[in-house]
CSV table of all heavy atoms in Angstrom, one decimal:
chain,number,residue,atom,x,y,z
A,205,GLU,N,34.7,-14.6,-20.1
A,205,GLU,CA,35.8,-15.4,-20.3
A,205,GLU,C,36.1,-16.2,-19.0
A,205,GLU,O,35.9,-15.6,-17.9
A,205,GLU,CB,37.1,-14.6,-20.7
A,205,GLU,CG,37.0,-14.0,-22.1
A,205,GLU,CD,36.9,-15.1,-23.2
A,205,GLU,OE1,37.6,-16.0,-23.1
A,205,GLU,OE2,36.1,-14.8,-24.1
A,206,GLN,N,36.6,-17.4,-19.0
A,206,GLN,CA,36.8,-18.2,-17.8
A,206,GLN,C,37.9,-17.5,-17.0
A,206,GLN,O,37.9,-17.6,-15.8
A,206,GLN,CB,37.3,-19.6,-18.3
A,206,GLN,CG,36.2,-20.5,-18.8
A,206,GLN,CD,35.2,-20.8,-17.9
A,206,GLN,OE1,35.3,-20.7,-16.6
A,206,GLN,NE2,34.0,-21.3,-18.4
A,207,THR,N,38.8,-16.7,-17.6
A,207,THR,CA,39.8,-16.1,-16.8
A,207,THR,C,39.4,-14.8,-16.2
A,207,THR,O,40.2,-14.2,-15.4
A,207,THR,CB,41.1,-15.9,-17.6
A,207,THR,OG1,40.8,-15.1,-18.7
A,207,THR,CG2,41.7,-17.3,-18.1
A,208,GLU,N,38.3,-14.3,-16.6
A,208,GLU,CA,37.9,-12.9,-16.2
A,208,GLU,C,37.0,-13.1,-14.9
A,208,GLU,O,36.0,-13.7,-14.9
A,208,GLU,CB,36.9,-12.3,-17.3
A,208,GLU,CG,36.6,-10.9,-17.1
A,208,GLU,CD,35.8,-10.3,-18.3
A,208,GLU,OE1,35.5,-11.1,-19.2
A,208,GLU,OE2,35.6,-9.1,-18.1
A,209,VAL,N,37.5,-12.5,-13.8
A,209,VAL,CA,36.9,-12.6,-12.5
A,209,VAL,C,35.7,-11.7,-12.4
A,209,VAL,O,34.6,-12.1,-12.0
A,209,VAL,CB,37.9,-12.4,-11.3
A,209,VAL,CG1,37.2,-12.4,-10.0
A,209,VAL,CG2,39.1,-13.3,-11.4
A,210,LEU,N,35.9,-10.4,-12.8
A,210,LEU,CA,34.8,-9.4,-12.8
A,210,LEU,C,34.2,-9.2,-14.2
A,210,LEU,O,34.9,-9.4,-15.2
A,210,LEU,CB,35.4,-8.1,-12.3
A,210,LEU,CG,35.9,-8.0,-10.8
A,210,LEU,CD1,36.5,-6.7,-10.5
A,210,LEU,CD2,34.8,-8.3,-9.9
A,211,LEU,N,33.0,-8.9,-14.1
A,211,LEU,CA,32.3,-8.5,-15.4
A,211,LEU,C,32.7,-7.0,-15.6
A,211,LEU,O,32.3,-6.1,-14.8
A,211,LEU,CB,30.8,-8.7,-15.3
A,211,LEU,CG,30.4,-10.1,-15.2
A,211,LEU,CD1,28.9,-10.2,-15.0
A,211,LEU,CD2,30.8,-10.9,-16.4
A,212,ARG,N,33.5,-6.7,-16.6
A,212,ARG,CA,34.0,-5.3,-16.8
A,212,ARG,C,32.9,-4.3,-17.0
A,212,ARG,O,33.0,-3.2,-16.5
A,212,ARG,CB,35.0,-5.3,-18.0
A,212,ARG,CG,36.2,-6.0,-17.7
A,212,ARG,CD,37.1,-6.1,-18.9
A,212,ARG,NE,38.2,-6.9,-18.7
A,212,ARG,CZ,39.2,-7.2,-19.6
A,212,ARG,NH1,39.1,-6.7,-20.8
A,212,ARG,NH2,40.2,-7.9,-19.2
A,213,VAL,N,31.9,-4.7,-17.7
A,213,VAL,CA,30.8,-3.7,-17.9
A,213,VAL,C,30.1,-3.4,-16.6
A,213,VAL,O,29.9,-2.2,-16.3
A,213,VAL,CB,29.8,-4.2,-18.9
A,213,VAL,CG1,28.5,-3.4,-18.9
A,213,VAL,CG2,30.3,-4.5,-20.3
A,214,ASP,N,29.9,-4.4,-15.7
A,214,ASP,CA,29.3,-4.1,-14.4
A,214,ASP,C,30.2,-3.2,-13.6
A,214,ASP,O,29.8,-2.3,-12.9
A,214,ASP,CB,29.0,-5.4,-13.7
A,214,ASP,CG,27.9,-6.2,-14.3
A,214,ASP,OD1,27.1,-5.7,-15.1
A,214,ASP,OD2,27.8,-7.4,-14.0
A,215,LEU,N,31.5,-3.6,-13.6
A,215,LEU,CA,32.4,-2.7,-12.8
A,215,LEU,C,32.5,-1.3,-13.3
A,215,LEU,O,32.5,-0.3,-12.5
A,215,LEU,CB,33.8,-3.4,-12.8
A,215,LEU,CG,34.9,-2.6,-12.1
A,215,LEU,CD1,34.6,-2.4,-10.6
A,215,LEU,CD2,36.3,-3.3,-12.3
A,216,ARG,N,32.6,-1.1,-14.6
A,216,ARG,CA,32.6,0.2,-15.2
A,216,ARG,C,31.3,1.0,-14.8
A,216,ARG,O,31.5,2.1,-14.5
A,216,ARG,CB,32.7,0.1,-16.7
A,216,ARG,CG,32.9,1.4,-17.4
A,216,ARG,CD,33.2,1.3,-18.9
A,216,ARG,NE,34.5,0.6,-19.2
A,216,ARG,CZ,34.7,-0.5,-19.7
A,216,ARG,NH1,33.7,-1.2,-20.3
A,216,ARG,NH2,35.9,-1.0,-19.9
A,217,MET,N,30.2,0.3,-15.0
A,217,MET,CA,28.9,1.1,-14.6
A,217,MET,C,28.9,1.5,-13.1
A,217,MET,O,28.5,2.6,-12.8
A,217,MET,CB,27.7,0.2,-15.0
A,217,MET,CG,27.5,0.0,-16.4
A,217,MET,SD,27.4,1.5,-17.4
A,217,MET,CE,25.9,2.2,-16.7
A,218,TYR,N,29.3,0.6,-12.3
A,218,TYR,CA,29.4,0.8,-10.9
A,218,TYR,C,30.2,2.1,-10.6
A,218,TYR,O,29.9,3.0,-9.9
A,218,TYR,CB,29.9,-0.3,-10.1
A,218,TYR,CG,30.3,0.1,-8.6
A,218,TYR,CD1,29.2,0.3,-7.7
A,218,TYR,CD2,31.5,0.3,-8.2
A,218,TYR,CE1,29.5,0.7,-6.4
A,218,TYR,CE2,31.9,0.7,-7.0
A,218,TYR,CZ,30.9,0.9,-6.0
A,218,TYR,OH,31.1,1.3,-4.7
A,219,LEU,N,31.5,2.0,-11.2
A,219,LEU,CA,32.4,3.2,-10.9
A,219,LEU,C,31.9,4.5,-11.5
A,219,LEU,O,32.1,5.6,-10.8
A,219,LEU,CB,33.8,2.8,-11.5
A,219,LEU,CG,34.5,1.7,-10.8
A,219,LEU,CD1,35.8,1.3,-11.6
A,219,LEU,CD2,34.8,2.0,-9.4
A,220,MET,N,31.3,4.4,-12.7
A,220,MET,CA,30.8,5.7,-13.2
A,220,MET,C,29.6,6.2,-12.4
A,220,MET,O,29.5,7.4,-12.1
A,220,MET,CB,30.2,5.4,-14.7
A,220,MET,CG,31.4,5.3,-15.6
A,220,MET,SD,31.0,5.3,-17.4
A,220,MET,CE,29.8,4.0,-17.5
A,221,ASP,N,28.7,5.3,-11.9
A,221,ASP,CA,27.7,5.8,-11.0
A,221,ASP,C,28.2,6.3,-9.7
A,221,ASP,O,27.7,7.3,-9.2
A,221,ASP,CB,26.7,4.6,-10.8
A,221,ASP,CG,25.9,4.3,-12.0
A,221,ASP,OD1,25.8,5.1,-13.0
A,221,ASP,OD2,25.2,3.2,-12.1
A,222,ARG,N,29.2,5.6,-9.1
A,222,ARG,CA,29.7,5.9,-7.8
A,222,ARG,C,30.4,7.2,-7.8
A,222,ARG,O,30.3,7.9,-6.8
A,222,ARG,CB,30.6,4.7,-7.3
A,222,ARG,CG,31.5,5.0,-6.1
A,222,ARG,CD,30.5,5.2,-4.8
A,222,ARG,NE,31.3,5.4,-3.7
A,222,ARG,CZ,31.7,6.6,-3.2
A,222,ARG,NH1,31.5,7.6,-3.9
A,222,ARG,NH2,32.4,6.7,-2.1
A,223,TYR,N,31.2,7.5,-8.8
A,223,TYR,CA,32.0,8.7,-8.8
A,223,TYR,C,31.4,9.8,-9.7
A,223,TYR,O,32.1,10.8,-10.1
A,223,TYR,CB,33.4,8.3,-9.2
A,223,TYR,CG,34.0,7.4,-8.1
A,223,TYR,CD1,34.2,6.1,-8.3
A,223,TYR,CD2,34.3,8.0,-6.9
A,223,TYR,CE1,34.7,5.4,-7.3
A,223,TYR,CE2,34.8,7.3,-5.8
A,223,TYR,CZ,35.0,5.9,-6.1
A,223,TYR,OH,35.5,5.1,-5.0
A,224,ALA,N,30.2,9.7,-10.2
A,224,ALA,CA,29.6,10.7,-11.2
A,224,ALA,C,29.6,12.1,-10.6
A,224,ALA,O,29.9,13.1,-11.2
A,224,ALA,CB,28.2,10.3,-11.6
A,225,GLN,N,29.2,12.2,-9.3
A,225,GLN,CA,29.1,13.5,-8.7
A,225,GLN,C,30.4,14.1,-8.5
A,225,GLN,O,30.5,15.4,-8.4
A,225,GLN,CB,28.3,13.3,-7.3
A,225,GLN,CG,26.9,13.0,-7.6
A,225,GLN,CD,26.2,12.9,-6.2
A,225,GLN,OE1,26.8,12.9,-5.1
A,225,GLN,NE2,24.8,12.8,-6.2
A,226,GLU,N,31.4,13.4,-8.3
A,226,GLU,CA,32.8,13.9,-8.1
A,226,GLU,C,33.4,14.3,-9.5
A,226,GLU,O,34.5,14.8,-9.5
A,226,GLU,CB,33.7,13.0,-7.4
A,226,GLU,CG,33.4,12.8,-5.9
A,226,GLU,CD,32.2,11.8,-5.7
A,226,GLU,OE1,31.7,11.2,-6.6
A,226,GLU,OE2,32.0,11.5,-4.5
A,227,GLY,N,32.8,13.9,-10.5
A,227,GLY,CA,33.3,14.3,-11.9
A,227,GLY,C,34.6,13.5,-12.3
A,227,GLY,O,35.3,13.8,-13.1
Side-chain angles (χ1 to χ4, degrees):
E205 294 297 320
Q206 291 290 344
T207 59
E208 190 175 1
V209 176
L210 295 174
L211 296 175
R212 291 180 187 174
V213 173
D214 291 342
L215 177 59
R216 185 175 291 119
M217 292 304 297
Y218 166 78
L219 292 173
M220 287 192 301
D221 289 342
R222 171 63 178 88
Y223 295 106
Q225 291 180 350
E226 288 85 356

